[in-house]
Amino acid sequence: MMIRPTIAQATLRAITRPAAGSSIPARAILLAPALASSSRSFSSTPSILKKNKGPNVKSPKQKIRATEDDEAGANDDPGAGEVVISEVIEKTAAKIEKAVHWAKAVIFEGVERGRGRVTPALLDSVRVSLPDAPGQCHLNAVASITTKGNALYVEVWDTDATKHVESAIHQANLPGISPQKTGANTLKIPILRPTTEQRAEILRSLANTVEGAKQQIRMARTDGFKHLGGRKSNGTEEVQKLVDEASKDLDGQMVLAKKEFEKA
């Protein structure tokens, strides 16, 4: 009895039988589909969620913002803050030094007057305002000062400026200094040995001068603190140190002035 092969068996024989003239083994034919399918890369992300990631293109606004940030960063200077602090301290120191210099000049003149000495330095603080000149000028710039006996003589080079020089000497408020006009362009200032009351007045005047200088110093400190950003900002300690040193210097000058007056 002959058994007919089933449809499945017939199909398997047809597939496994190599074609005429073919050198490919039957097993290779069966494995080919499997190899082809295994060459695909595995991904757990559904294809519908995958996006085409092209180059990162910025919008026009983003480009402008990025350019501005780059330019700002290029201009940054790590030491810029230190430079600003240094400049503020230098300017504050200059203001303080100016106030101290002015006070010392007035103290020196006061001591000379207290001693009763006749010297042109007694008029060093006098500043003259002329109608045809901007600001004020030193007395030495418009006149010569000489001594003779117990008096100072001021000879003004321009006769028209004599009244302005005389007014400037009065406005200087120097104790014991009172100019007397003796000619068209000459002023005489008698210098008498000061009395005890006059020396006391000179000392009071010098004390007011020192207090005025300290007020200018405090104003310079306030201005410096403001430019530095406040009392607790960087650089304020240096400014305060300048203020303390200047105040101590002026106090020392007053102590020396009192000692000189005691000797007179």
Side-chain angles (χ1 to χ4, degrees), residues 40-120:
R40 298 176 183 176
S41 59
F42 175 79
S43 174
S44 61
T45 304
S47 60
I48 193 172
L49 296 179
K50 294 182 179 180
K51 296 182 180 180
N52 181 19
K53 296 183 180 180
N56 187 12
V57 180
K58 295 182 179 180
S59 65
K61 291 184 177 180
Q62 289 176 327
K63 290 181 179 179
I64 294 175
R65 187 179 300 110
T67 302
E68 292 176 349
D69 292 342
D70 292 341
E71 292 177 353
N75 294 330
D76 286 345
D77 184 0
E82 297 180 1
V83 173
V84 172
I85 293 174
S86 177
E87 291 179 354
V88 172
I89 294 176
E90 288 180 1
K91 291 181 180 179
T92 304
K95 294 178 182 178
I96 293 175
E97 184 179 357
K98 183 178 180 180
V100 172
H101 179 75
W102 167 73
K104 285 184 176 181
V106 175
I107 291 173
F108 176 77
E109 295 171 6
V111 171
E112 293 297 297
R113 291 197 307 272
R115 290 174 174 175
R117 292 183 180 179
V118 181
T119 170

Side-chain angles (χ1 to χ4, degrees), residues 175-176 192-204 261:
L192 303 177
R193 187 173 182 83
T195 63
T196 303
E197 291 77 10
Q198 288 175 334
R199 285 198 295 270
E201 182 182 355
I202 293 173
L203 278 176
R204 285 193 296 269
F261 274 47

Side-chain angles (χ1 to χ4, degrees), residues 9-27:
Q9 291 175 342
T11 304
L12 180 60
R13 290 176 181 175
I15 294 174
T16 56
R17 184 182 298 114
S22 175
S23 61
I24 301 176
R27 183 174 179 81

Side-chain angles (χ1 to χ4, degrees), residues 172-205:
N173 294 323
L174 301 175
I177 302 296
S178 180
Q180 302 171 2
K181 191 173 182 180
T182 59
N185 63 336
T186 304
L187 300 173
K188 178 183 178 181
I189 305 175
I191 305 297
L192 303 177
R193 187 173 182 83
T195 63
T196 303
E197 291 77 10
Q198 288 175 334
R199 285 198 295 270
E201 182 182 355
I202 293 173
L203 278 176
R204 285 193 296 269
S205 176

Side-chain angles (χ1 to χ4, degrees), residues 81-162:
E82 297 180 1
V83 173
V84 172
I85 293 174
S86 177
E87 291 179 354
V88 172
I89 294 176
E90 288 180 1
K91 291 181 180 179
T92 304
K95 294 178 182 178
I96 293 175
E97 184 179 357
K98 183 178 180 180
V100 172
H101 179 75
W102 167 73
K104 285 184 176 181
V106 175
I107 291 173
F108 176 77
E109 295 171 6
V111 171
E112 293 297 297
R113 291 197 307 272
R115 290 174 174 175
R117 292 183 180 179
V118 181
T119 170
L122 296 175
L123 303 178
D124 278 350
S125 62
V126 177
R127 297 294 182 270
V128 182
S129 297
L130 299 176
D132 57 347
Q136 295 180 324
C137 60
H138 197 281
L139 179 58
N140 290 336
V142 295
S144 61
I145 307 171
T146 58
T147 61
K148 185 177 181 180
N150 293 328
L152 290 173
Y153 287 86
V154 179
E155 185 176 355
V156 185
W157 300 326
D158 185 356
T159 303
D160 294 336
T162 303

